[in-house]
Amino acid sequence: MKTKISTLFLLLSITFNLSAQTKTSTKHTFAIADGNFLLDGKPVQIHSGEMHYARIPKPYWRHRLKMMKAMGLNAVATYVFWNYHETAPGVWDFTSGNRNIAEYIKTAQEEGLFVILRPGPYVCAEWEFGGYPWFLQKVPGMVIRGNNEQYLSTTKAYFTALYGQVKNLLVTNGGPIVMVQGENEFGSYVAQRKDIALEEHKKYSAAVFQQLKDVGFNVPFFTSDGSWLFEGGALPGALPTANGEDDVAKLKEVVNKYNGGKGPYMVAEFYPGWLDHWAEPFPKVSTAGIVKQTQKYLDGGVSFNYYMVHGGTNFGFTSGANYDNKHDIQPDLTSYDYDAPISEAGWATEKYNALRDLLKTLETPAVPAKIPVIAIPDINLTKAVDLEDVKNKIKPVNDDKPLTFEALNQGYGYVWYSKKFKQPISGKLELNGLRDYAIVYVNGAKVAELNSYYKKYDCEIDIPFNATLDIVVENMGRINYGAKIIESSKGIISPVVINGQTITGNWDMYKLPMDVVPNLSAEKNTATAGKPTIYEGSFTINKIGDTFLDMRDWGKGIVFINSINIGRYWSVGPQQTLYVPGCWLKAGANSIVIFEQKNDIMHKTVKSVIDPILEDLKPENGLPK
């Protein structure tokens, strides 16, 4: 009983101190001193949730932040995705789509939440290339996450651009940003890259940390690593925090070791759910376990950040990938639901309600109303165009050998590789340099599907006289975690071999980045089963609301709604629906375009449902043929 009373008193005092943030221009101070987090000189405990602006439609930012506040939290943490803002070398975008990070942070402040900023430059996050711009791989001599001038000059430019957006939002300038992270989970990378001396690793992390300070960030800093990885990840002058550490005594012991024998103590990533890959089961984390662990932190005086409190969606081509011994790539789902307390569509879950019951105080606001959900009648697809017709209007790049996406100056999407054979050849086609997924055709007939997930890189092939070999390759997302992040080229990255012979000379490459919705206005219905196809349709609605496209009858591809790429689908599951935010729909006419890569059957309609399907695993639907 004494523990419960003291916890309640602590929560009430925290709420009182942090409520001063709400919708006022009051300037606060925030510091790490005397073993505590100090707000206006008084000890506070941070109850934060991770939520990324890039994974939520901008019109829904405020709703999701209100959901966090109503759960009893007092802070929001967010990564900053470098590649989301530097869209081409030296070209910065902090305004379009969901990219206005300054507005996101201001909205958090208006809703009474402090902000923890995690700028990387590396972020992991199940995000494409861990947040790095793909074109860094084109810079001669550059080694990412390394102590070299080519790389550090680009991180300095990134930090400078970011600081220009958020400098007025630092707590020192009256804003809500109370802490900034120096690098991310660097201790993990040190452990993974034992080929690099610890001293050299430390030079790099110190250089990045100094850059953050040099450009102007002047709030308390922290690092986050597994508790056993502090030797590689901790930085002098930054508070070490322990990701995923549930043993409070161990947490305090390891922080004391690297922080002068004192706290404060924080778990910067407390996992109420877990990440998801295509072709693998959707992992679940029990509500009871998360509630119990939260109570341990409350009783132990440990601050925490739920990663994720709300995951959102990997719209477009933003999802990253992992790998293991059985799979050369494990692409992340479009949905970043994460089994989080707040679902992908912003709904309060059982986990949310249980944590709210634990964290709420007398001042905690009511839970916001759920955004309406609608079912759209079957959408008729009125146009079906063979992708080859679109490809034939593109001027190819010609080279003696297949070129990577990067060599073609293309970051995402697809490349169509084509070669004409004047003499017949047959035998085993070996595509050991495939990154990541390919469909192989001879004279327009599908021969095989190859992909890096199943480590399927070869097939038997028979190319007759005067025939054409076509290989349509998809980038399924660059590695976002692990030593192999430095091996992130896409496309065909090594020679094509048939019957032991390297096939060189006169390769044509057609770039299909799908960065904008395909324009089919001048195209005719030419599609046939077995060839990649672009479908187009329209639908009319009177009432706007969120919905979910049901892709269970489809193969593999992407969907555009009103010209917005809402993400990838793949029949292997476990995700079988695509979230369509109502804020991206219009009362009246709406458009849909679907690029279906496999197109084993012709489609005439696409359906919607009112509940997501995220746990329907059918790996047999993706096995190479």
Side-chain angles (χ1 to χ4, degrees), residues 492-522:
I492 298 177
I493 70 169
S494 67
V496 175
V497 175
I498 300 176
N499 196 31
Q501 303 295 312
T502 298
I503 307 302
T504 59
N506 213 28
W507 280 93
D508 282 331
M509 287 147 280
Y510 299 84
K511 298 163 65 174
L512 296 160
M514 298 284 183
D515 51 344
V516 296
V517 63
N519 183 354
L520 303 183
S521 59

Side-chain angles (χ1 to χ4, degrees), residues 1 28 53 56 83 197 201 223 302 319 382 394-395 412 451-452 461 493 502 549 567 577 585:
M1 178 62 71
H28 296 281
Y53 58 99
I56 309 164
N83 59 9
H201 277 307
T223 60
V302 174
S319 58
T382 54
I394 299 169
K395 183 178 180 180
Y412 316 109
N451 76 66
S452 299
I461 198 165
I493 70 169
T502 298
L549 289 182
T577 54
L585 297 175

